[in-house]
Amino acid sequence: MIIAIDGPAASGKGTVARRLAAHYRLPHLDTGLLYRAVGAARLASGGALDDVAAAARAARALDLESLDEEALKAGPVGEAASRVAAIPQVRRALLELQHGFARQPGGAVLDGRDIGTVIAPEAEVKIFVTASPEARAERRHRELIGRGEAIGYETVLEDIRRRDARDAGRSIAPLVRAADALVIDNTELDKEATFAAALAFVEARRRELGIVAAAAPDGGA
Ligand code: CDP
């Protein structure tokens, strides 16, 4: 079973993906980390973020095993990631790795922007997690402050709006919900309620697809 989780920045898609992966004992890939790693490599080099050849080289040189998640989650890396993610050559360089991960025997959970539309359109389960920009900025602000970054709410909100516009407006693999995805708007939901909605949908899909037997109407075996 492939579970594809997409959504905008700080929507909580990563938490849903991680929890579903643990629940179903499936491997999980946070594809945002791949773009963050390319963005971080370009920031570290001091070169221009829109240098297509250099960004594509950084994407091809990526090693899944050596991603430093802690460092990649830092604020400025998100912006750099969204800039390099708009470069077609970068997306192409990261395609095979993601395809391979999605199609491993037994299935997988992937989260990102284009999992249900480009990476794994055949996924049995597609969920699009979203929330208002203000709610997402509040969460991301809390997260960054918790990590010791000195940053104001307004700056975070601005970053989120700019990234939303860039991610949704790019010509290649834009952030868009798949037609057959369940949309969970969690502006008013906490993490537990968001996970419960996602889990209920996965279970319904598993029954629909005959992966698990539907419960007998009388509740019996
Ligand atoms: O959690 P947050 O949305 O801040 O970041 P992320 O999911 O780690 O993604 C960082 C950036 O990578 C996004 O703004 C997208 O531009 C890009 N990305 C993408 O284009 N496609 C994906 N499948 C995942 C991330």
Side-chain angles (χ1 to χ4, degrees):
M1 171 176 63
I2 301 178
I3 302 182
I5 315 278
D6 289 302
S11 56
K13 62 188 181 304
T15 306
V16 170
R18 256 191 315 278
R19 289 193 59 179
L20 287 176
H23 186 90
Y24 292 107
R25 297 176 196 270
L26 289 170
H28 166 227
L29 180 63
D30 170 355
T31 62
L33 285 182
L34 308 177
Y35 296 93
R36 284 176 176 267
V38 176
R42 295 303 300 138
L43 285 178
S45 79
L49 283 169
D50 55 6
D51 181 335
V52 172
R57 259 197 313 277
R60 283 193 297 272
L62 206 74
D63 173 13
L64 253 194
E65 302 305 317
S66 65
L67 298 183
D68 178 353
E69 185 163 350
E70 216 18 58
L72 295 178
K73 288 289 178 185
V77 181
E79 168 71 12
S82 119
R83 301 250 319 254
V84 297
I87 301 174
Q89 288 86 336
V90 166
R91 304 201 73 87
R92 222 172 292 135
L94 297 175
L95 204 61
E96 210 168 298
L97 191 159
Q98 296 176 84
H99 276 160
F101 193 93
R103 287 163 201 167
Q104 59 189 297
V109 181
L110 290 88
D111 72 90
R113 301 291 190 288
D114 61 342
I115 310 302
T117 50
V118 174
I119 302 299
E122 77 279 23
E124 285 85 357
V125 180
K126 298 180 189 177
I127 301 177
F128 191 87
V129 186
T130 188
S132 72
E134 292 77 11
R136 290 185 283 124
E138 226 169 84
R139 290 175 200 159
R140 182 52 49 89
H141 183 230
R142 231 179 295 131
E143 196 181 307
L144 293 174
I145 293 286
R147 298 164 48 92
E149 286 192 37
I151 191 164
Y153 166 80
E154 287 302 331
T155 309
V156 177
L157 179 59
E158 229 171 82
D159 173 67
I160 280 194
R161 286 193 197 284
R162 190 173 50 245
R163 252 180 337 122
D164 279 359
R166 189 183 296 127
D167 291 349
R170 67 183 174 220
S171 56
I172 180 165
L175 169 70
V176 61
R177 97 172 174 88
D180 51 350
L182 168 78
V183 177
I184 302 177
D185 183 328
N186 62 18
T187 305
E188 306 286 343
L189 301 179
D190 64 13
K191 281 185 182 173
E192 270 323 304
T194 303
F195 176 62
L199 186 60
F201 180 65
V202 181
E203 283 300 298
R205 288 290 294 145
R206 279 157 55 86
R207 284 191 297 273
E208 240 172 73
L209 296 166
I211 300 175
V212 290
D218 63 355

